[in-house]
Amino acid sequence: MGRQFFLKIQCAAVLFFLFSGVAKAAFPNDFSDVTWLDPNISSWSVTSSLNVRVDGSVTRFTHSKQASWPNTTHSVVGRCCNASVWVFIKRNGRWYASTFEYLRPNTPTKMTSALDGRHLKRAPFLVGGFDWKPANGEVYGFMVSGFARFNLNDVNIRERSNVFLYRWGVGPTNNINFDEVPRNSRGEPAPEPEPEPEPEPEPEPECPVVQPDLTNNTHNYSGTASGTLVVTGANNDTAQFNDSVAITVKDDRSLTFRISDESFTAQVAQDGRFSGQFTFDIGGAGVCIVSVGVSGTVNGRSASGQASGQDSCLGNNITFNATFQAQSPTAPDYIDTREQPKPKRCGGPIPLSGILDLLLEE
C-alpha cells in the first residue's frame, strides 16, 4: 500500500506540472496566442531590459541597449533612430502585437498620445472612423526591438527586450488579468452608465413655475488655417501650410476644434476666448510628432486665432506657425448670459383689510 500511495503522489506531481505548464503557455510567458500585425520577432534574442513609465503627456521607454543598438540608415526615418517600440493589446479576447513608434539612441521619451490607432495604422485598431485609444484598468505589454515596423527590410539588429506589463492609469503590474473596457464607435473608452437615482416626488407648486429657456443650439464655423512649417538644421526649408478648419460652438459654451484629422474640445470663456492642443504628425511616419497649441476667440459669427508648436526631429528643428479664420451663419446665445423670465406672483391681490392688519401689527 505504501508503494501505491507513493506512485499516486508521483502521478499527481507530474499532472500538476503538466497542467501548470499548459496554463502558463500564453502571453506574456510565450507568444503562442499573439497575432502579429508586424513581423513575428518572438525568436529574436532578449538582450535588453525594458522599463516603462507614463508621466502624463510623456511616456518613457528606458532600456539597457538604448545607446548601443546600431543607428543605421532606415529607408523611412533616415539615421534618426535605432529601435522600434511595440505594444501588445488584448482586443475581443485576442492578443495583438504591433509597433507604433521609433526610438532615437539614448532618447527614451515619446508622447503618450502616440499610443492610438492612428499610430498602429492597422485593423482592428484603425478601421474607418474607429481609432483605438487606451483605457484605464486595461493591461498592455510593451517591448522594444531592432527595426521591425511593417517589414524587416531595414533591420539594424535582430534583438529585442523583455515584455513589460503596464496597467493603464495605475502602473507596472505582474497580473495579466483584466476585463476589456467597452469602446464607442470612435474607439474611445465608453463610460459605464450610472444607475438612475429613484426620482423623488416633487412638491405641489403653489403657483405655476416658469422654466428657463435651456435650448442648446449648435453653431458651425468653417474656414481655413494658413501658415508655415520651417525646418532648420541638417535640412533648411520652408513649406506653406493650408488646411480647412471646422469649429462647433454650443450655447452651453462647449467647443470642438477640428483641423485635418486632429481635434480637441474646450470651453468658451466669458470673454469669448478658448484654447487647446493637438498633435501634428509630419510625414505620417510616426517619427516627428509636433505638439501644437491653439488659442482663439469666438466673436459672434466669427472665430479666429493662432496655432504654433515646435519639435526636434531627424537632426532638424521644426517650427509650425499658423493663423485661422472661420465664419458661422448663426451666433451663440450663451445659456449662462440669457435673461431669464421672472416668475409671476402667486395668488391674487392682498385685500385692503390684510394690509391694515399688517400695519397695525408693526
Side-chain angles (χ1 to χ4, degrees):
M1 178 174 178
R3 177 175 176 80
Q4 290 179 346
F5 179 76
F6 177 73
L7 289 174
K8 288 180 179 179
I9 293 294
Q10 280 188 320
C11 291
V14 171
L15 289 172
F16 171 78
F17 285 115
L18 285 175
F19 283 105
S20 297
V22 171
K24 293 182 178 179
F27 181 80
N29 296 287
D30 69 34
F31 302 100
S32 60
D33 61 343
V34 172
T35 297
W36 295 82
L37 302 182
D38 280 309
N40 184 343
I41 63 165
S42 59
S43 62
W44 286 11
S45 300
V46 179
T47 63
S48 187
S49 177
L50 172 66
N51 182 275
V52 179
R53 191 177 77 198
V54 179
D55 291 331
S57 62
V58 172
T59 299
R60 303 179 188 278
F61 302 94
T62 307
H63 68 107
S64 57
K65 291 297 185 74
Q66 62 189 27
S68 59
W69 279 352
N71 182 12
T72 59
T73 302
H74 190 284
S75 61
V76 176
V77 298
R79 293 185 64 88
C80 76
C81 307
N82 70 344
S84 293
V85 189
W86 293 77
V87 62
F88 295 83
I89 304 170
K90 192 175 185 180
R91 175 81 176 141
N92 295 328
R94 180 72 181 174
W95 284 99
Y96 293 85
S98 173
T99 61
F100 66 98
E101 269 287 9
Y102 297 94
L103 282 180
R104 306 172 194 177
N106 262 340
T107 308
T109 58
K110 284 295 175 182
M111 297 290 290
T112 303
S113 58
L115 182 59
D116 63 4
R118 288 189 307 108
H119 289 80
L120 274 67
K121 298 186 181 298
R122 280 151 301 188
F125 304 104
L126 186 67
V127 183
F130 185 91
D131 177 8
W132 179 90
K133 298 290 189 299
N136 286 342
E138 290 193 338
V139 176
Y140 308 118
F142 293 99
M143 182 176 72
V144 295
S145 74
F147 293 143
R149 187 152 170 80
F150 304 127
N151 56 61
L152 299 179
N153 296 343
D154 298 293
V155 62
N156 56 334
I157 189 168
R158 294 176 183 268
E159 297 179 11
R160 64 179 179 89
S161 74
N162 58 301
V163 175
F164 190 95
L165 298 180
Y166 197 96
R167 191 176 299 276
W168 204 251
V170 179
T173 183
N174 290 321
N175 184 357
I176 197 67
N177 298 317
F178 68 94
D179 292 327
E180 293 185 48
V181 175
R183 286 171 168 78
N184 58 26
S185 59
R186 298 185 300 277
E188 302 162 337
E192 295 184 3
E194 296 183 0
E196 296 185 2
E198 291 291 332
E200 296 183 1
E202 297 183 1
E204 291 291 331
E206 296 181 0
C207 61
V209 177
V210 178
Q211 298 292 341
D213 181 12
L214 296 179
T215 304
N216 191 18
N217 296 312
T218 300
H219 310 276
N220 298 306
Y221 294 76
S222 58
T224 58
S226 59
T228 57
L229 184 68
V230 179
V231 179
T232 58
N235 300 295
N236 292 290
D237 196 8
T238 300
Q240 298 299 315
F241 174 85
N242 287 281
D243 210 336
S244 59
V245 171
I247 305 171
T248 59
V249 180
K250 291 189 174 183
D251 291 342
D252 64 0
R253 296 188 178 274
S254 60
L255 175 145
T256 300
F257 183 97
R258 295 185 182 276
I259 181 169
S260 186
D261 59 348
E262 301 288 347
S263 65
F264 66 81
T265 58
Q267 286 290 119
V268 180
Q270 293 285 340
D271 59 1
R273 297 182 182 181
F274 66 90
S275 62
Q277 181 174 303
F278 65 88
T279 57
F280 185 22
D281 186 357
I282 299 174
V287 178
C288 298
I289 308 295
V290 179
S291 179
V292 179
V294 176
S295 60
T297 304
V298 176
N299 185 8
R301 293 188 294 172
S302 298
S304 60
Q306 53 276 335
S308 61
Q310 61 181 10
D311 188 22
S312 297
C313 180
L314 305 179
N316 296 285
N317 293 321
I318 301 167
T319 303
F320 174 78
N321 285 293
T323 59
F324 61 88
Q325 297 277 346
Q327 302 292 323
S328 169
T330 57
D333 179 16
Y334 296 123
I335 293 173
D336 59 351
T337 60
R338 295 178 190 174
E339 183 179 352
Q340 304 300 338
K342 297 179 180 179
K344 298 178 181 179
R345 189 165 67 99
C346 300
I350 301 176
L352 182 60
S353 60
I355 297 175
L356 293 175
D357 290 340
L358 289 173
L359 293 174
L360 290 174
E361 287 179 1
E362 294 178 356

